[in-house]
Amino acid sequence: MKQIEPLDPSGLSQEQAQAEFLELQTQLAAADQAYHQNDAPFLSDAAYDAAKRRYKVLAEAFPELKDIATQLDSVGAPVTSGFGKIQHVVPMLSLGNAFEDSDVADFDRSIRNYLGFGASQPLRFTAEPKIDGLSLSLRYEKGVLIQAATRGDGATGENVTANARTIADIPQQLSGAPEVLEVRGEVYMSHEDFAALNARHTERGGKTFANPRNAAAGSLRQLDAEITRLRPLRFFAYSWGDLSAPLAQTQTGAIERLHELGFQTNPLTQTCASVAEMIAHYRQIEAQRATLGYDIDGVVYKVDDLALQGRLGFRSTTPRWAIAHKFPAELAWTRLEAIDIQVGRTGALSPVARLTPVTVGGVVVSNATLHNEDYIRGRDNKGEEIRGGKEIRIGDWVQVYRAGDVIPKVADVDLTKRNGDEQTFDFPETCPECGSPAVREEGDAVRRCTGGIICPAQAIEKLKHFVSRKAFDIEGLGAKQLEMFYNDPDLPIRTPVDIYTLEQRDLGQFTKLKNRPGWGDQSAANLFAAITEKRNISLGRMIFALGIRHVGEVAAKDLALHFGSWEDLASAVDAARSAALAHRAADLAEDQERERASSEGRRAKIKETREAALSVLELHRTAREAWEDLIGIDGIGATVGLSLSDALANMQERAVIDDLVAQLNISAPAAPSQESPVAGLTVVFTGKLEKMTRDEAKARAESLGAKVSGSVSKKTDILVAGPGAGSKEKKALELGIRILDEDGWLAEIAAS
Ligand code: IVH
């Protein structure tokens, strides 16, 4: 370790200070790693403390150094690079949530509706604890463990095979297993092992983990598997992915089979024949929660019959056949010290409570959301009272709660603790970041900055969204780097296009990235490589990455599937916008004439004007169809349509998008399977279906590559009309569209 200099740094030049600072940073990081991760410290505590003091003194004396300081000594910070990626053959999904007993009844009802089951038809569920750890997928081929992957984003996880091999609950070999078997379950740490691990760290003066889940995650995601071996991790199997042969016919049978193969399965798993039994089992598990010896955060219900699970299938990220019934949120009381306003990607001004730190269920909370201005005043967005109408004031004693991973919320306020010093919060009417007016549209609970991308907060948030995991996922370009680049006068990134011109701009100037503090040849080359890699992007991700209000992951995917290329989407939205304008013009003309007519008593004139105005619309017939087409796409609708239209009409944003598109190779969604006779066709269902429910019909059609739309237009290929079909059938007849009844449709798809 470097000789520690006397503490007075005043004689140092900026350059000397920086050199020493960077060296100390490297050495302290190595000492942290040796101590926390390798369990092999090479510095005495006194030497470590002295180095850290010196590091802090330098940072105080030379404020520029603060910008290049890294956070040292962060045990449990996830190791995000260094693991190989594994594509999941079967995606690893998450679960929908139920909070109230009535949500469980709704879950049962929606499954029955989907399957067309009556209320008294037998339907069994399994109920088991929801383990609060992290999920892991283990792939066995010919009975041998060959791969272990974390969930990651559900589609791609991290390869943690070496680490998983160190976990005693995970068999290396299986006998009598299907040739291919992916076992899924939860890695967790018991309360006892967690306490012992933290005691060990405390003894050595190190940081401790906040809760067993963080400890389990930090331990599994270690680059050195030997450290994982020292951490007491456990594993419960509860599900499976890729399989060469079915495990059983029921969930219960499959779990028993996994148990026979040598996996730990949860002993509190039970089958239930009704909602009442599910809730009774939930209460029983809840009562045992404190004595189980490991953290659980709810109970998972799953349809027991695997054939029914197959029929029910999945929504975009969750199965229809399972739900997590969560335990109530954890609560604590603390003081509200201040309210800050954060400006989000879509300009939303969000009030954030700054709290006196308080522990809520094992996690220290110092910030919590206050939702919006009405919420602070004790009103919902319809003006009705919430919390008995109690306003929240700065200085108040407030209740904070968190449920699972959700951001902590301020839930309540204790008026009896007021002493008169509390202050009402005046919600700003201008953006605190750029000074533009912040307006609240009618019916919107949120006040928004009108600055668009001239607002630095919106621009930075948009950029963060753009590079985030489900969007462009650019390694090495996270929130911290983007903030730095945004403010960089010589090599700025202000819009997504700037990311793609960065390398070119860097080479053209003396301000080379690699010469900046914190960057070197290798890190600069890595960043450029990561950016180049993501020039190839799927259309769905690209649409999602734009961060357009109301266009989430699912809508983006639907749009990508429907249009197949950015150009087609953009021209449809442009056409749709002109239709919307024509509509507005027609309405306006009618309104004006109505006003005039009513004062002049010329009512007959109204009709005439309306017709004239509508003829404007007639001129825009193609445009109107484009609009109907756009909002008729299943899952899209007018809100998304208008938002897309607004975003693409904004000249500045449009220019950025057009330039960006020119930089990318955008791939169309995979062509639907050629074997399916309905692949690529647009289908509309109307009237009553008798052999399947509407949801099931839609899911099946989509799984065969068809697009399901809610309205009939020229683009419709097939209308499936059941009894009671009305205007849609009439329109399909007019347009000469092929009409099938339910049996005809089933025959059509029978081949696949
Ligand atoms: S079943 C297709 N069962 O909860 C869904 N998940 O919030 C398969 N989890 O990602 C998941 N205990 O990591 C299932 N008994 C249990 C579980 C469980 C914990 C986790 C799992 C999942 C998350 C969803």
Side-chain angles (χ1 to χ4, degrees), residues 481-520:
Q481 289 82 359
L482 283 171
E483 268 158 27
M484 181 204 87
F485 277 119
Y486 190 87
N487 293 311
D488 190 319
D490 299 319
L491 201 55
I493 295 180
R494 304 259 158 81
T495 70
V497 198
D498 296 342
I499 297 176
Y500 283 94
T501 57
L502 188 70
E503 186 170 4
Q504 199 187 347
R505 286 184 290 134
D506 183 29
L507 290 176
Q509 297 188 18
F510 292 110
T511 53
K512 294 221 173 114
L513 180 56
K514 64 180 189 182
N515 293 332
R516 314 223 151 180
W519 291 89

Side-chain angles (χ1 to χ4, degrees), residues 93-95 97 128-135 151 185-186 238-239 297 300 302 314 319 321-322 324:
L93 301 177
S94 60
L95 293 168
N97 289 326
E128 69 199 67
K130 182 172 186 304
I131 317 297
D132 198 5
L134 68 153
S135 47
R151 175 162 176 258
E186 203 84 352
Y238 50 64
S239 162
D297 55 350
V300 183
K302 300 172 186 170
F314 302 88
W321 44 264

